Amino acid sequence: MRSTFFVPALVAVVAALPAPAPQEIDLDLFLNIPTPTVIQATGTPDKIVTYDTKAILASATQVSSISVAVTDAASSTPSIVKRAACGPEPSGYGPVTTNPKDDAASFLANPVYANAANAATVPDGYVQTFKNLNASSSAYGYLGFTNLQSYSPQTCATKCNAIKGCMGINIYFERDPKITPDKTVCPNPASLTQIKCVYWGGPVTAANTKNYGRSWVSFSVVVAGSNGYVNQNIAAPSGYSDANYLGNAAINAPYDTLGYNTYMGAKVFAAGPFNATLCAEACNAQNVYNLANPPTDGSPVQTCQFFNTYILSVNGKTALGQYCAMYSASWTNKYATNVGQWQGNDRYTVGFSYSFSNLTNAGTTNVAAAVAQAKGEISASSLQSYCSTFLGYNDLNAYVTATSTKTPISTVTSTSTLKIKASSSSSSSSKATSLSKRAVASSSLATPTALTKYPGSVISSACSALVTSVPKTGTVTLSTATVTGATSRSTVVKTVTTTTR
Ligand SMILES: *[C@@H]1O[C@H](CO)[C@@H](O)[C@H](O)[C@H]1NC(C)=O
Ligand SMILES: *[C@@H]1O[C@H](CO)[C@@H](O)[C@H](O)[C@H]1NC(C)=O
Ligand SMILES: *[C@@H]1O[C@H](CO)[C@@H](O)[C@H](O)[C@H]1NC(C)=O
């Protein structure tokens, strides 16, 4: 009887399966991306910043060989006009504070700004994220700003709606100099008050609203009455369901009912506004690549049918980029349980999380894929001896094709009939010089931990497939055997094509 099992065709099937639960946020994807610096809304008002989405997509998805021409690059740098010393600054339309003094402390103590912020109504289609802070935001995807003539979140939102990719707004009063400060001539000029409306491509939250001001020569720029709003309408990418809002949590999918890992990895986009279509295109590109490069072992191609995309931030403040996690099956909100993770002293958090499913196929369970995955794990973990026991035989290599394997693992010997039938083709015949049959008590058949996620039918198919892969030649005999189970009688009808070398 053989005591070692040699299954040459399957040795290199699966090196390591990606861990499905938890789907750790892959922080390495951000390794080569510089941490964004705090953005001040300065420069020329109404210069709307645009981003080249094709370039963003191309750089984020290059590993999957997506070929996107990097063309029509748009200007992505706000032009900062150098102003003459003591020349005029843009007019401000907000109430100016001169009482008791024209300084930062008096400005911050003036209730007129808080009153305006507290009384403001929420713009249509927006949700308020904070009210009356003394700071401006530095969120993801800076898109520029406008100096308004009145403190109107609705006006600001209407302008945001017209800007491609605008997802959030920050409106506030800013104490600015009337003329451009100059070290020698006019270090601390009189103030004016701007009503700034700043556009962002990602969520504007209290956590990322920490710009309390700055010094400009001897002038103190400070902020009051700062309100934040986000637009929760995310356009569905073509071919996908409407956005499903997951709040501050990412999907953390378990194995599916067949034990299959539906997680397919992640991409990140670190420039431009939040854009769900970028993730949809990464998902589609991955499918094109996977279909063109099918697994060499003949197992089914895994395709992306569902994705979860969100903004990943570090330490509650700096948005690093848009994360895009891909799956071959859809998962409901119940599985949105990953609220972030720590790395060293840095806390990474999830925000603005949405999921989308393929409209025509949200992803279904795939027996062949689960069996292929199980086969890989059995080989990688050298569990062939378990297979032999599971199938009820001592000699793994002495067996043939299982055509009917519906028995659940826990009741393998006590329930239905396990039919194992040889194929008549010579390619799947096998050697059985010392075929011996054992009755296996279910209690004695402990499932290896790695295989507990699979139903018995999948284990059975995987085990049987491993056995049949041994190529054999020789004479053919037929035999039939019966086995008595632990709790009840069950019949194993096996028509074995045995061969002798
Ligand atoms: C803003 O500053 C003023 C003056 O220092 C202070 O009274 C107020 O509490 C501050 N508001 C917030 C939200 O921090
Ligand atoms: C989002 O990305 C898609 C695909 O690249 C692009 O066509 C679309 O214009 C982008 N939308 C925004 C708001 O940037
Ligand atoms: C949705 O899934 C089907 C089946 O896998 C695929 O043919 C189709 O291209 C997918 N749609 C999109 C938008 O990716």
Side-chain angles (χ1 to χ4, degrees):
M1 189 193 304
R2 278 165 189 251
S3 57
T4 55
F5 305 108
F6 182 52
V7 190
L10 284 149
V11 168
V13 172
V14 176
L17 293 166
Q23 273 103 62
E24 291 242 303
I25 297 165
D26 186 358
L27 298 173
D28 288 351
L29 291 175
F30 291 93
L31 265 187
N32 299 317
I33 294 168
T35 304
T37 47
V38 168
I39 293 170
Q40 305 276 356
T42 54
T44 315
D46 293 319
K47 271 263 180 203
I48 301 308
V49 183
T50 56
Y51 295 88
D52 179 4
T53 53
K54 283 184 183 172
I56 294 166
L57 195 58
S59 71
T61 60
Q62 52 195 198
V63 286
S64 68
S65 306
I66 177 180
S67 90
V68 178
V70 182
T71 50
D72 60 46
S75 134
S76 62
T77 22
S79 59
I80 293 164
V81 181
K82 180 135 176 52
R83 277 159 283 186
C86 307
E89 285 290 309
S91 314
Y93 298 95
V96 178
T97 301
T98 51
N99 185 22
K101 280 169 50 180
D102 184 357
D103 65 5
S106 304
F107 180 91
L108 289 171
N110 188 341
V112 69
Y113 310 120
N115 292 344
N118 289 325
T121 53
V122 179
D124 291 344
Y126 283 71
V127 168
Q128 183 148 21
T129 47
F130 58 84
K131 196 183 262 186
N132 190 32
L133 295 182
N134 285 358
S136 63
S137 309
S138 193
Y140 180 69
Y142 177 65
L143 291 167
F145 73 97
T146 297
N147 288 326
L148 299 180
Q149 303 210 354
S150 67
Y151 189 95
S152 165
Q154 183 61 63
T155 303
C156 185
T158 303
K159 288 174 180 291
C160 172
N161 292 343
I163 297 167
K164 195 174 170 185
C166 185
M167 296 295 301
I169 52 172
N170 178 211
I171 180 171
Y172 54 89
F173 295 98
E174 186 174 272
R175 178 179 189 264
D176 283 325
K178 240 178 192 154
I179 55 174
T180 311
D182 178 83
K183 211 161 59 179
T184 47
V185 196
C186 54
N188 188 10
S191 75
L192 54 72
T193 301
Q194 294 290 5
I195 303 167
K196 283 195 167 170
C197 159
V198 189
Y199 314 109
W200 293 99
V204 170
T205 63
N208 61 31
T209 301
K210 307 273 184 197
N211 300 336
Y212 294 97
R214 69 205 148 96
S215 294
W216 192 351
V217 189
S218 300
F219 186 90
S220 219
V221 174
V222 286
V223 168
S226 177
N227 284 10
Y229 304 90
V230 293
N231 183 342
Q232 290 203 344
N233 295 327
I234 292 217
S238 136
Y240 288 86
S241 63
D242 281 342
N244 174 43
Y245 188 56
L246 301 173
N248 293 330
I251 291 288
N252 198 8
Y255 292 101
D256 73 9
T257 53
L258 296 180
Y260 187 62
N261 178 9
T262 64
Y263 178 57
M264 295 179 63
K267 303 275 183 195
V268 295
F269 308 100
F274 181 89
N275 181 348
T277 301
L278 290 174
C279 190
E281 293 196 3
C283 182
N284 297 347
Q286 196 65 54
N287 289 350
V288 169
Y289 180 83
N290 288 3
L291 290 164
N293 299 273
T296 49
D297 64 354
S299 61
V301 174
Q302 189 178 29
T303 58
C304 172
Q305 306 296 136
F306 171 84
F307 62 85
N308 174 209
T309 188
Y310 54 86
I311 298 277
L312 188 72
S313 300
V314 62
N315 299 328
K317 196 171 150 192
T318 314
L320 293 176
Q322 181 185 345
Y323 202 89
C324 168
M326 300 177 284
Y327 296 83
S328 56
S330 296
W331 296 94
T332 63
N333 293 26
K334 177 172 119 186
Y335 297 98
T337 56
N338 187 354
V339 293
Q341 67 200 46
W342 287 87
Q343 188 179 72
N345 291 325
D346 293 322
R347 178 154 189 258
Y348 292 83
T349 51
V350 171
F352 232 45
S353 180
Y354 291 88
S355 66
F356 296 86
S357 301
N358 179 309
L359 271 183
T360 53
N361 177 359
T364 47
T365 51
N366 184 331
V367 177
V371 169
Q373 181 188 290
K375 272 165 66 181
E377 279 200 278
I378 290 165
S379 299
S381 311
S382 302
L383 297 172
Q384 288 90 340
S385 58
Y386 167 78
C387 274
S388 172
T389 313
F390 179 82
L391 290 175
Y393 288 90
N394 287 334
D395 188 343
L396 173 75
N397 287 334
Y399 223 62
V400 288
T401 311
T403 53
S404 172
T405 48
K406 287 212 158 57
T407 317
I409 182 163
S410 57
T411 53
V412 64
T413 58
S414 60
T415 60
S416 68
T417 302
L418 179 70
K419 269 192 197 151
I420 302 166
K421 197 175 158 219
S423 156
S424 56
S425 83
S426 61
S427 65
S428 62
S429 61
S430 64
K431 174 172 171 271
T433 44
S434 59
L435 184 65
S436 66
K437 189 74 192 71
R438 288 189 301 194
V440 182
S442 53
S443 59
S444 71
L445 194 64
T447 310
T449 313
L451 303 183
T452 52
K453 58 182 168 291
Y454 299 107
S457 58
V458 167
I459 297 179
S460 180
S461 298
C463 283
S464 304
L466 281 172
V467 176
T468 55
S469 71
V470 183
K472 292 285 150 52
T473 55
T475 55
V476 173
T477 59
L478 286 174
S479 68
T480 304
T482 303
V483 65
T484 304
T487 54
S488 73
R489 190 185 147 81
S490 68
T491 305
V492 173
V493 180
K494 66 185 175 54
T495 311
V496 184
T497 309
T498 56
T499 65
T500 327
R501 280 194 210 269

